[in-house]
Structure formats: structure tokens, C-alpha cells
Amino acid sequence: IKKSGKIRIAVDLGVPPYGMTDDKMQPSGSDIDTAKALAKDWGVEFVLVPATGASRIPSLQNGKADLVISSLSMTADRAKVIDFSMPYAVLRTVIAGPKSVNVKSMADLDGKTVGTVRGTTHDTQLTKEGPKGMKLTRYEDDATEGQAFLSGQVDLFSSAEAVIGQLNKKNPSRQAEVKFVLDTFKLAIGIKKDEDRLVAEVNKWVAAKLKDGTLNAIYKKQFGTDLPEVILKQ
């Protein structure tokens, strides 16, 4: 990476405010800011590798990306195929839908059509734990899933909690609210298996940026709150 002068980082731009495009159609969001900060500190050029929820991990495995900084939750299944840095942020996954739909738990999804994004933790959880009468419809990214909800193709949808507010801002006619929390995840930087030197360097950077407040400032800029203590006091 240092020799090439570039670092290729996969980010999903369909998960605001982690990854998105601004009003000038430029990549933005907390994960973009994190990726840019890392590249700057390492003295290399940041090269964006556009990704979806499902393509993030394959982009490491097939050599298209050096790192994944893309609202990537740390899970045991993923740890079998890639390595993770120490966590740098958090993400809550939720079930959301219109106020008119009364849903408070996983069991209440029985008989409902639920949208999810392929390859995400909420896709995996709903597949394993959802009731038999639930119809799960998978989409390639949050934007497509959001449109499916707005057009009435799904009753409810699963997503990162932060996406809901962004969706409601753009579409005041069909407001979504959080029905219940699926899970809270620590987010980490994804690294190809057995790249031990790279893992060590990334961990050194994350630890330094948590200590000097850089990562907290990036998170607070997008979410309006500080990182939780479980991340700050590692």
C-alpha cells in the first residue's frame, strides 16, 4: 500500500449517514470521512471502491480492495473469512415501518412482507429467527429497499437505525418509525485474512484516533452524539 501510494477502500454509499453522496454527488458520510482520515495519516491516496452490503467482503477476497470501511458489523461468521480491526464505531439494526402497522417483536412479523438488504447482519438474523409466515424480500442496497417501502411493496423493512431519519427527510409523505431493535453491533475495519502486519497497522491507527478524538468527532458530526464508552474506552 505504501509503495503504491494508494489505498483502495470499499464503502457502500447506500447506507446514510455512514456512506452516501452529498448534494454535489460526491461521496460523503462517516465511513468516507474515516477512510479519508486513514489515507491522509498514512500519506497515501484514498481510492474509493464502491460496494454493496453483499459485495463488501468479496471485494477483499478478490483483491479489489485493501480494506473495507463500510458499516461492517463484527460477527463470528464474518470472522471466519476475513479479519477485523478493533472496533471504531457502532450500528443498531432495527425493524421499521409506518405508524399504522402495529409491530413490537419478531413474532409480530408473521404474515408480513419484510424488506432487507442482501448480505447484511439483519438479513442473516431475519433468515434465522423470523417467523415462518413472514415473507422476506431481499434488495441489493438500502436505497432500493427504501423505494420498495415507499411504493408499498413491503409492509416493513430492516435497516441500520440511522437510515430511517434520512429516508423520512427525503420522503415526508410516507414516514417510517422504528418498531423494535434487532441488535447493536460494533463496527470494524475489514481486512483480508492473514494480513497480520496490515491488521496491526490499522489497529494502531484506530487506537490513536480514538485517543485523540478524531473518530469521535467524525461520528458526532453525522449522528449528533458521542461514541459509546464501549468504543471509546478500549
Side-chain angles (χ1 to χ4, degrees), residues 13-65:
L13 297 179
V15 191
Y18 294 97
M20 54 191 177
T21 51
D22 62 19
D23 53 7
K24 295 178 182 176
M25 298 309 292
Q26 294 300 307
S28 65
S30 58
D31 282 336
I32 290 290
D33 290 346
T34 301
K36 286 180 175 178
L38 185 148
K40 183 180 178 182
D41 288 344
W42 283 12
V44 293
E45 178 190 349
F46 164 49
V47 178
L48 172 64
V49 179
T52 64
S55 71
R56 292 172 299 178
I57 288 173
S59 72
L60 287 176
Q61 296 171 316
N62 61 26
K64 287 184 178 178

Side-chain angles (χ1 to χ4, degrees), residues 191-228:
I191 305 157
K192 190 176 182 179
K193 270 288 182 192
D194 302 321
E195 293 281 0
D196 295 341
R197 286 174 58 212
L198 185 53
V199 172
E201 287 299 317
V202 173
N203 278 339
K204 191 189 300 183
W205 181 82
V206 172
K209 297 298 113 177
L210 286 172
K211 189 174 182 181
D212 72 11
T214 299
L215 288 171
N216 190 58
I218 288 172
Y219 188 84
K220 194 166 186 176
K221 173 185 168 185
Q222 296 293 346
F223 296 91
T225 60
D226 291 319
L227 284 166

Side-chain angles (χ1 to χ4, degrees), residues 93-98 106 109 111-127 134-142 144-150 152-160 163-164 167 174 180 182:
T93 55
V94 300
I95 292 292
M106 191 74 84
L109 299 179
K112 302 287 193 296
T113 300
V114 181
T116 192
V117 177
R118 192 185 310 279
T120 59
T121 52
H122 36 106
D123 177 9
T124 303
Q125 187 174 358
L126 286 166
T127 302
M134 175 190 73
K135 182 185 177 185
L136 193 61
T137 304
R138 294 177 177 84
Y139 299 93
E140 292 306 314
D141 53 42
D142 282 270
T144 310
E145 179 191 46
Q147 285 303 314
F149 166 70
L150 293 169
Q153 294 175 47
V154 295
D155 303 313
L156 302 143
F157 63 100
S158 65
S159 182
V163 171
I164 311 305
L167 185 67
R174 185 164 157 84
F180 62 91
L182 286 169

Side-chain angles (χ1 to χ4, degrees), residues 38-98:
L38 185 148
K40 183 180 178 182
D41 288 344
W42 283 12
V44 293
E45 178 190 349
F46 164 49
V47 178
L48 172 64
V49 179
T52 64
S55 71
R56 292 172 299 178
I57 288 173
S59 72
L60 287 176
Q61 296 171 316
N62 61 26
K64 287 184 178 178
D66 302 306
L67 300 174
V68 172
I69 303 180
S70 185
S71 55
L72 188 66
S73 306
M74 302 175 78
T75 69
D77 285 344
R78 288 173 177 167
K80 293 173 184 175
V81 293
I82 63 167
D83 287 329
F84 286 108
S85 71
M86 61 190 290
Y88 70 95
V90 292
L91 176 148
R92 288 210 310 176
T93 55
V94 300
I95 292 292

